[in-house]
């Protein structure tokens, strides 16, 4: 990102905007606020926002739409599906997988909170929930990797399957890390970027490790 | 006195004559009289919260699997959070709150309150149900928190903490809306919000520091 450090706007490019302050009173009947929209509109609007973010994660280009309207539905769904798919591993043979399920939850949410705090302490400009949103949505490639791993393990669990799983998990890990740093690194001062990227790397590494070492009974 | 024009004298309307007032159609009349005008919203406001609590208390009866109970309660809590925040709040008490990130990346918490009551506005019974439901449930989840902690059933702790955070967030948001609304009653109508373009929500809003902004500010 070194090339972007000395971008400046030439002085003859017009910069314009529009700021108006309303004068006078308005009749209440003219106002349409989100207080009155039908429920179906609310649901559809939120669902579309979630869908758009999923698409953004899969094709991470530098856009601020993910950051602008954050929501935590996507991370919740991803967290639950990842935790469900990590069930039935050989670690919890005798009980019903309780602790491990809650473990995945705690790792993901607590890890995301710690990364967010870290980036805020380093002077980042992103808000708390935006950062949680981005980190949560970027778990999507790893969830896909988990799905693929489970399917591969259905076929067999020899060396070949391990190599396939390794490749898939490493690729998805790289994708997750790149996607989240594409969104998050911009909000940091330039000399702190590595300090911010490192915990994100670690976070997705831990999740990838859980995925790769998963062996069904 | 006879009129000065040539037309025949007309009967004057006096105080004893019946004047029929038009309140609107029958439906509107029934709506005005009803104690609960949004039965579906009231039902759902309480349904998700109470189901979450009941499922948590009686999860052993429903299923042996911790995972199923955990996921069910979590989903109920999430649906409750969404429906109270987005639907029942505005239908039952005319309040709404959300978070908005403006173009500088600063986050604003926005609190919206309905000033003008319409025919379908909420009744006192609905408002009472709303606030009772909003206040009692986080208290119950806090009790669960301590009971989980002291009985050392720590695998439920994550869920209880999630429940407390979600419900307290709604409680806090609505109390803020309510208090903000009462302060603004003494001010002028210029404090009233409008958001015409729903996905962007940029046209007119009042952020938490009580400044008013309008329109888009394009700088790129």
């Amino acid at each position: 990102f070194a090339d972007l450090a000395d971008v400046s706007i030439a002085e003859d490019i017009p910069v314009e905007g529009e700021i108006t302050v309303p004068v006078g009173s308005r009749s209440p009947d003219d106002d349409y606020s989100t207080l009155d929209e039908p429920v179906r509109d609310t649901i559809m609007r939120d669902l579309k926002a979630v869908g758009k973010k999923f698409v953004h994660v899969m094709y991470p280009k530098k856009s601020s739409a993910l950051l602008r309207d954050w929501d935590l539905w996507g991370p919740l769904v991803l967290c639950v599906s990842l935790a469900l798919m990590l069930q039935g591993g050989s670690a919890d043979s005798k009980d019903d997988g309780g602790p491990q399920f809650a473990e995945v939850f705690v790792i993901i949410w607590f890890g995301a909170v710690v990364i967010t705090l870290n980036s805020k302490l380093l002077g980042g400009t992103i808000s708390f929930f935006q950062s949680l949103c981005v980190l949560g949505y970027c778990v999507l490639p790893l969830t896909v990797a988990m799905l693929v791993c489970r399917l591969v393990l259905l076929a067999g669990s020899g060396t070949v399957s391990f190599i396939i799983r390794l490749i898939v998990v490493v690729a998805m890990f790289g994708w997750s890390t790149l996607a989240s740093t594409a969104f998050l690194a911009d909000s940091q001062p330039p000399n702190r970027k590595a300090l911010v990227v490192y915990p994100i790397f670690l976070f997705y590494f831990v999740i990838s490790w859980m995925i790769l070492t998963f062996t069904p009974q | 006195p006879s009129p000065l024009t040539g037309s025949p004298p007309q009967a004057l309307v006096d105080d004893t004559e019946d004047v029929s007032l038009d309140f609107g159609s029958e439906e509107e009349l029934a709506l005005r009289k009803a104690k609960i005008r949004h039965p579906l919203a009231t039902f759902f406001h309480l349904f998700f919260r109470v189901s979450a609590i009941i499922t948590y208390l009686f999860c052993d009866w429903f299923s042996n699997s911790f995972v199923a109970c955990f996921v069910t309660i979590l989903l109920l809590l999430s649906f409750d959070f969404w429906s109270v925040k987005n639907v029942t709040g505005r239908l039952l008490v005319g309040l709404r709150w959300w978070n908005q990130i403006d173009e500088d990346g600063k986050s604003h918490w926005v609190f919206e309150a309905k000033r003008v009551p319409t025919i379908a506005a909420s009744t006192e019974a609905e408002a009472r149900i709303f606030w009772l439901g909003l206040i009692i449930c986080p208290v119950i989840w806090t009790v669960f928190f301590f009971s989980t902690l002291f009985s050392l059933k720590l695998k439920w702790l994550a869920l209880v903490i999630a429940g407390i955070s979600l419900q307290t967030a709604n409680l806090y948001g609505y109390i803020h809306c309510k208090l903000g609304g009462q302060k603004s009653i003494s001010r002028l109508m210029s404090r009233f919000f409008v958001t015409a373009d729903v996905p962007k929500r940029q046209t007119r809003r009042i952020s938490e520091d009580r400044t008013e902004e309008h329109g888009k500010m394009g700088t790129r």
Side-chain angles (χ1 to χ4, degrees):
Chain A
F1 296 108
D3 301 330
L4 296 177
D6 43 13
V7 165
S8 59
I9 300 179
E11 282 175 45
D12 49 312
I13 296 180
V15 171
E16 47 180 44
E18 165 182 271
I19 303 176
T20 60
V21 175
V23 287
S25 61
R26 301 181 46 134
S27 149
D29 298 325
D30 289 340
D31 295 328
Y32 172 72
S33 68
T34 54
L35 279 175
D36 290 321
E37 63 178 4
V39 178
R40 170 176 296 243
D41 283 3
T42 316
I43 297 180
M44 290 317 296
R45 177 159 51 94
D46 285 346
L47 280 178
K48 275 195 212 146
V50 171
K52 219 171 13 164
K53 288 197 192 69
F54 276 130
V55 170
H56 261 111
V57 172
M58 296 315 279
Y59 303 106
K61 34 186 203 295
K62 210 172 289 274
S63 93
S64 55
L66 202 74
L67 296 185
R68 192 69 60 78
D69 293 319
W70 58 267
D71 72 80
L72 294 177
W73 285 107
L76 179 72
V77 166
L78 289 173
C79 197
V80 169
S81 28
L82 192 60
L84 281 176
M85 285 195 278
L86 280 169
Q87 286 306 108
S90 55
D92 41 26
S93 49
K94 59 176 168 54
D95 70 88
D96 57 349
Q100 190 169 34
F101 186 85
E103 218 175 76
V104 175
F105 256 91
V106 168
I107 287 179
I108 292 185
W109 288 102
F110 186 67
V113 165
V114 166
I115 296 179
T116 309
L117 285 177
N118 173 63
S119 79
K120 287 196 86 81
L121 285 173
L122 283 173
T125 57
I126 202 170
S127 97
F128 181 77
F129 287 108
Q130 277 180 316
S131 168
L132 281 186
C133 167
V134 169
L135 288 167
Y137 271 99
C138 290
V139 172
L140 177 66
L142 286 171
T143 312
V144 170
M146 182 72 219
L147 193 62
V148 170
C149 282
R150 280 217 89 146
L151 292 173
V152 166
L153 281 168
L154 282 178
S157 50
T159 320
V160 174
S161 105
F162 177 74
I163 293 181
I164 298 179
R165 283 186 289 135
L166 182 67
I167 295 176
V168 168
V169 169
V170 167
M172 293 296 155
F173 160 68
W175 195 338
S176 281
T177 313
L178 282 176
S180 59
T181 49
F183 292 119
L184 288 180
D186 274 351
S187 61
Q188 299 299 325
N191 54 343
R192 299 275 172 83
K193 285 207 165 61
L195 281 174
V196 169
V197 169
Y198 172 67
I200 299 179
F201 175 89
L202 210 57
F203 176 64
Y204 290 122
F205 180 76
V206 167
I207 299 180
S208 319
W209 183 259
M210 284 198 299
I211 294 176
L212 194 57
T213 57
F214 172 78
T215 48
Q217 272 203 297
Chain B
S2 59
L4 296 175
T5 62
S7 58
Q10 294 170 343
L12 294 172
V13 173
D14 61 35
D15 290 331
T16 58
E17 187 170 306
D18 278 336
V19 179
S20 79
L21 301 170
D22 185 24
F23 279 116
S25 67
E26 280 251 347
E27 207 177 273
E28 287 176 6
L29 200 60
L31 206 57
R32 259 180 228 263
K33 282 199 188 144
K35 286 194 80 167
I36 292 191
R37 290 193 191 129
H38 303 105
L40 213 57
T42 316
F43 171 73
F44 275 112
H45 175 74
L46 294 175
F47 172 69
F48 289 128
R49 334 199 111 205
V50 173
S51 318
I53 291 179
I54 291 181
T55 314
Y56 179 79
L57 284 174
F58 300 119
C59 59
D60 290 330
W61 290 4
F62 292 137
S63 150
N64 273 334
S65 151
F66 168 79
V67 172
C69 285
F70 191 103
V71 173
T72 311
I73 297 177
L74 195 65
L75 286 178
L76 285 171
L77 286 170
S78 316
F79 291 155
D80 162 72
F81 178 82
W82 183 88
S83 61
V84 170
K85 180 175 180 292
N86 289 309
V87 177
T88 64
R90 67 180 157 93
L91 288 180
L92 295 184
V93 286
L95 301 170
R96 191 163 175 191
W97 60 279
W98 70 83
N99 175 271
Q100 209 166 325
I101 315 277
D102 66 16
E103 290 169 23
D104 302 327
K106 280 184 51 99
S107 115
H108 295 271
W109 292 96
V110 185
F111 302 94
E112 199 175 281
K114 196 184 262 218
R115 304 275 312 278
V116 179
T118 60
I119 287 178
S122 54
T123 60
E124 209 183 286
E126 286 177 340
R128 210 176 309 144
I129 293 178
F130 177 81
W131 289 106
L132 278 179
L134 204 63
I135 295 176
I136 291 183
C137 292
V139 170
I140 296 183
W141 281 103
T142 316
V143 170
F144 287 160
F145 173 74
F146 287 113
S147 79
T148 316
L149 200 58
F150 293 139
S151 66
L152 293 180
K153 283 199 262 172
L154 295 176
K155 63 183 181 177
W156 291 105
L157 206 60
L159 187 64
V160 176
I161 291 180
I164 292 180
S165 352
L166 289 174
Q167 310 224 324
T168 316
N170 257 329
L171 180 64
Y172 177 76
Y174 279 114
I175 288 184
H176 208 174
C177 281
K178 185 92 181 160
L179 294 180
Q182 281 176 359
K183 274 191 218 155
S184 73
I185 280 177
S186 57
R187 297 185 48 153
L188 299 174
M189 277 185 63
S190 57
R191 295 217 9 130
F192 193 46
F193 289 86
V194 117
T195 52
D197 187 5
V198 165
K200 297 251 173 185
R201 287 194 197 135
Q202 293 252 356
T203 45
R204 187 176 172 185
R205 60 185 164 84
I206 294 178
S207 60
E208 205 179 13
D209 51 6
R210 311 285 190 240
T211 56
E212 195 165 314
E213 306 155 45
H214 174 82
K216 48 193 192 317
M217 298 190 264
T219 52
R220 282 175 212 238

